[in-house]
Amino acid sequence: QQQVKQSPQSLIVQKGGISIINCAYENTAFDYFPWYQQFPGKGPALLIAIRPDVSEKKEGRFTISFNKSAKQFSLHIMDSQPGDSATYFCAASSPYKLSFGAGTTVTVRA
Amino acid sequence: ETGVTQTPRHLVMGMTNKKSLKCEQHLGHNAMYWYKQSAKKPLELMFVYNFKEQTENNSVPSRFSPECPNSSHLFLHLHTLQPEDSALYLCASSLDWDTGELFFGEGSRLTVL
């Protein structure tokens, strides 16, 4: 049973546009929500993360929005650049348990 | 440069071969993990080692055998694999087992013929 559902599976955005990836979870014990970025031929790397006591976290062009009541969180990539083309995984964590979404492949067209 | 190094990066093996994947972390972490990554699927946790002790085995077939001689090294021994085992095998480490902050290696791409 998939603990974290991620959508869309892929998206294409023009350079300068906004990429939005959504994730939903069921287990209310999750208390840490990281996003990982993976380039082709590389392993995933932690990009940004949020805890449920805040509704938004921003690091540069990357923003996580978190809706605790809806059990949803999303990643926004502002001013998308070709170098942002990668696969993005959301995840949800509680002590001793980390569940990943299936990933979203983002392609930024120049 | 990644603090988690995996070798080999690519491996092709027959169904009757025996091979091993190696992972080494230089981050001083206490927990190490093996994940399987297949296309369009979530990362699948295979094994977790915390302070060299195996703490989780996610119903992985016995043809995959992990070994953790110390907190810095992790092996995945492979024997009698099936073509459906072809995937990217990722090693990761974290400071402790109860954190969601994993540091991944670049993976070993395995093809089983």
Side-chain angles (χ1 to χ4, degrees):
Chain A
Q1 183 181 5
Q2 196 169 332
Q3 298 270 339
V4 180
K5 295 184 180 180
Q6 182 172 349
S7 63
Q9 187 175 0
S10 62
L11 68 90
I12 300 173
V13 63
Q14 292 296 122
K15 180 182 176 182
I18 302 174
S19 305
I20 302 175
I21 306 169
N22 300 299
C23 288
Y25 65 97
E26 287 297 325
N27 188 346
T28 56
F30 289 137
D31 60 2
Y32 182 70
F33 300 87
W35 285 86
Y36 286 83
Q37 179 188 53
Q38 184 177 26
F39 293 107
K42 303 290 186 181
L46 181 65
L47 179 64
I48 186 173
I50 196 169
R51 294 200 179 272
D53 53 344
V54 297
S55 60
E56 185 174 286
K57 183 174 181 180
K58 183 177 181 179
E59 288 186 3
R61 296 183 292 105
F62 299 89
T63 300
I64 301 177
S65 296
F66 187 84
N67 186 330
K68 188 174 180 178
S69 61
K71 292 186 283 187
Q72 295 176 347
F73 57 110
S74 60
L75 177 70
H76 291 62
I77 307 174
M78 314 300 287
D79 186 26
S80 297
Q81 299 297 311
D84 298 331
S85 297
T87 300
Y88 294 82
F89 296 91
C90 63
S93 169
S94 60
Y96 314 112
K97 184 173 182 63
L98 175 65
S99 297
F100 285 90
T104 297
T105 300
V106 173
T107 302
V108 182
R109 298 236 190 269
Chain B
E1 182 179 313
T2 180
V4 179
T5 304
Q6 289 187 241
T7 55
R9 294 293 313 280
H10 300 273
L11 179 62
V12 179
M13 58 187 291
M15 293 169 61
T16 58
N17 290 159
K18 280 186 173 183
K19 298 285 184 182
S20 295
L21 307 180
K22 179 183 175 182
C23 176
E24 183 175 1
Q25 58 98 358
H26 311 276
L27 301 170
H29 289 167
N30 299 311
M32 296 188 76
Y33 311 75
W34 280 117
Y35 277 88
K36 178 182 179 181
Q37 185 175 33
S38 305
K40 306 290 189 275
K41 295 174 71 174
L43 290 166
E44 298 175 51
L45 178 64
M46 300 176 71
F47 303 103
V48 181
Y49 278 82
N50 195 42
F51 291 97
K52 303 188 304 176
E53 300 297 321
Q54 186 179 130
T55 53
E56 191 152 334
N57 175 340
N58 253 14
S59 303
V60 179
S62 59
R63 58 186 183 269
F64 294 92
S65 174
E67 179 189 0
C68 187
N70 54 61
S71 293
S72 299
H73 293 86
L74 186 64
F75 295 88
L76 188 62
H77 304 299
L78 316 169
H79 63 97
T80 329
L81 294 190
Q82 305 298 311
E84 59 265 28
D85 296 323
S86 298
L88 183 68
Y89 288 85
L90 290 162
C91 174
S93 70
S94 64
L95 184 59
D96 293 297
W97 182 30
D98 62 349
T99 174
E101 294 185 8
L102 269 56
F103 291 77
F104 285 89
E106 296 191 328
S108 294
R109 172 69 63 185
L110 173 66
T111 302
V112 182
L113 301 176

